[in-house]
Every structure is written in structure tokens, then in C-alpha cells.
Amino acid sequence: MHSLDELLHPITPDRFFAEFHGRKPLHIPAGDGAGKRALLDWDGFNALLNQSSIWSANSLKLVRDTVAVTPDQYCRHVQTQSGAVLRPDPAKVAVFLATGASLIAGDAQELTPRLADVSAMLGRAFAAAIGANLYCSFKGVQAFGTHYDLHDVFALQVEGEKVWRLYENRAENPVDFPPDTPETRRWLEQSRGRLMTEVRMRPGDVLYLPRGWYHDALAQDGASLHVTFSVTPLYGRIIFSLLEQAAMQDPAFRAYMPPAAMGGGRPLQAHLADLGQRLARLAALPAFRDEVAMTQEKLVPRPARFALPQQLTLTAYRPTGLLGPAFAGPAAHAMHWALSQPDFAIEELIAQFDFVAEADIRAAVDQAEKAGALKRF
């Protein structure tokens, strides 16, 4: 699946963003979507698990009857060439699975080409960081109690069936989650509201859940395997760190504040009001919008494109000394560097400026070449 159209079919992206995104859940039956069913199967999942050296206690977890199995029960210390690591023991994991434990394989977004393709597509579509977890569970055994997630979710059922129960309540834009304790679980069950609907997920089905939606799930009629993609765009908190970097260039933010007791607090109030107005002006600048855009771009890693033993062919450029065109947006940062070098390769430019979209860099270099400011050699 290389596009949002394929993932959502027969729902169009326009309809999804207008009616469902951030608003309410959406269940999309598989229909004739063979591509969705082919995302992963038992053979592919087993092949990943059999690569035991890629897993750690953080990335491969077990849950039984809604309680996490502690790493000391299924992991062992392994001496590797890089030092000692705590690694899941395949034999112990198999025993836990035989007793009905559920398996969660995390950080799987780049472990296969198909998972990587969907992750990259979602990252571009939502300007978001994407994670992928693989969930293996068995009939009648619930891995997690009622909960909500801190991100939007796209769940794709790939093997077996699973019933998801969606409740009427929703946490409003949550960014933190309370510790997993019996008290927390009771609070979640009390806060979830009434059962809204049950969704039976079959191979190839897609379920979208907005951030904060209360839900739980249970495997049906045997074993179940599904992939959950977490979609986490930037939210308002990011502006504090970005504004701090920009604001500290202004001497007004480096000046001492008046004592609160001075003049009945009026000088301090005026000082704070002035700083607030300066922050508002900074946030409204196109340059600050570009900072946010570059931070968004960093959320989506560029796919690996190795094709060894073939080596990358570099395309070299040299500035001619002629004045280049005026560049706007994030690409201006890359082109400022490029035009200051004696020579460079466009592949190097793309690698150096991973916070600028590759397509924008290529378009800017092409524009500079047509203007005579750059010449290939």
C-alpha cells in the first residue's frame, strides 16, 4: 500500500478527513483489498520472531490476563560482541504463548518492506511520527483491559479475527497516561462510558481510532494477528521549545524582570505583557512557520535505498558565482549552504538537510541550475 487511497478504500481521503479524522472511529471491511491482507502473515511474523537477535525486552513484550509479564520471567542476559544485552528467550516466550499470553512486537515499522511502505505513507499523509506494533493473541484471552491511546491508531487485521469494543467516552487530546495500576484500570473502566459498538475485525479489515478513544479487544475462534500503526503528529507543546530558541535572539528575553513588589506589580505586569506580544509576533512570522514545517519533516525518516554492491551515483554541482533565485521556505536553508560551497553533490545536500523535503531540494537545485547559479560537472 503506497497511498492513503489504498488503505482507506472504498472511503476516499477527502471523506475521511471531513467526517472521521480526529472525530470518530471508522471500520473499513476488507472487501477485495488483497493488498491489505498481504501486509503480514503467520509465516512472515514467525520469520521476524526467529531473528531473535533483533529483539530486546523493550521491543518484545508479553501480557497475560491484562498484566504485563516482567522481563525476568521470559528474558535472559546474552553476551554479544557489543556487550551484555537482555534478550527474550525464544523457548521461554513459546511457553508463555502456550499458556495463552499475548505477544507484542514493537518498533516494527521498518522490519519488512510492506510495513515500511505503509509507515512512510502514513508519515507523509499526516506529517507524523509513525510506529508499528504487531499483536499476537489467542482465543478468549484479553491482553489489555479498557484503555485509550495517546495517538491516532490504524489497526489492520492480517490473520484470524478479533472483536474490538468501542465505548462512548473519549479522553480529550491526552498527552500523558497514568501508571498501569489496579486503581488506574478501575478508573478506566469507570470512565469509559457505555458500550457504543462492537467491531469484528477479519483479515484485511482496517479500524481507525482517534486519539483518546476508549476501547478493548478480544481474539475470536483461535489465534489473531494484527498490526497497529500509531500516528503521532506534532501538537502545541512543540512551540515552547521552538519559540525559546527564536526568542533568546531578542535581548528583551534576556533582560531581568522587575521585582513583583515594585510599583504595586505594574512594572512586572508591563514587562510580561511586552514579552507576550513579542512571542505572538514571533509565532506569526513565516520563518517560524518554516521551523515548524522542518520539525514535521524530521518526523518522517527517509526510506533506506541500499542496492549493494551497486554504489550510489553522485550528481555534482558547482556554484558559478552568478546570483541565484530567491528561495523561500525550508529549502532556502539548504540552498544557502549549497551556494556557499566550492562544490557539492545533490545526494549529499539531501542527506545533510533531512529536515527539508527531498522533492523541495531537488526542485530548488533545478531552479538554480536553470538560472545559471549552479552548473553540473
Side-chain angles (χ1 to χ4, degrees), residues 19-242:
E19 297 181 23
F20 300 97
H21 182 231
R23 295 176 176 84
K24 59 183 178 181
L26 170 65
H27 173 223
I28 306 174
D32 59 356
K36 300 175 188 179
R37 290 191 290 269
L39 181 64
L40 188 68
D41 59 17
W42 286 121
D43 287 341
F45 184 56
N46 288 325
L48 291 176
L49 293 181
N50 289 336
Q51 298 180 62
S52 56
S53 63
I54 71 175
W55 302 107
S56 70
N58 290 325
S59 60
L60 196 70
K61 299 180 180 181
L62 290 165
V63 178
R64 185 166 58 185
D65 295 328
T66 75
V67 178
V69 179
T70 57
D72 62 284
Q73 297 183 72
Y74 69 95
C75 294
R76 61 189 175 95
H77 288 280
V78 178
Q79 190 65 39
T80 72
Q81 291 181 339
S82 303
V85 296
L86 186 62
R87 183 173 292 163
D89 184 310
K92 292 180 179 179
V93 170
V95 170
F96 272 102
L97 295 179
T99 64
S102 296
L103 181 67
I104 301 96
D107 296 326
Q109 57 272 11
E110 295 180 345
L111 291 186
T112 73
R114 286 191 174 112
L115 290 171
D117 285 345
V118 176
S119 299
M121 177 273 292
L122 289 171
R124 291 190 299 270
F126 294 92
I130 305 298
N133 289 346
L134 316 178
Y135 291 85
C136 169
S137 54
F138 299 88
K139 178 181 179 180
V141 180
Q142 190 171 25
F144 298 100
T146 302
H147 64 285
Y148 58 79
D149 294 306
L150 306 181
H151 44 253
D152 281 8
V153 165
F154 283 95
L156 279 75
Q157 188 73 22
V158 292
E159 295 276 17
E161 296 185 4
K162 199 164 196 175
V163 171
W164 291 62
R165 293 180 293 213
L166 311 184
Y167 298 90
E168 63 181 359
N169 287 343
R170 179 185 181 186
E172 185 176 5
N173 295 338
V175 296
D176 297 300
F177 201 77
D180 183 19
T181 64
E183 292 74 20
T184 297
R185 293 180 209 130
R186 284 194 294 271
W187 173 75
L188 288 168
E189 290 183 0
Q190 294 165 1
S191 305
R192 67 190 184 186
R194 293 173 298 181
L195 180 66
M196 184 179 73
T197 188
E198 287 189 346
V199 176
R200 180 179 286 267
M201 295 282 286
R202 297 179 173 87
D205 283 13
V206 176
L207 178 64
Y208 165 74
L209 292 181
R211 170 170 57 153
W213 208 280
Y214 282 85
H215 64 279
D216 53 49
L218 189 67
Q220 301 289 309
D221 303 325
S224 163
L225 180 64
H226 80 269
V227 183
T228 290
F229 292 94
S230 60
V231 180
T232 314
L234 298 178
Y235 60 94
R237 181 181 284 176
I238 191 65
I239 70 170
F240 296 115
S241 59
L242 295 179

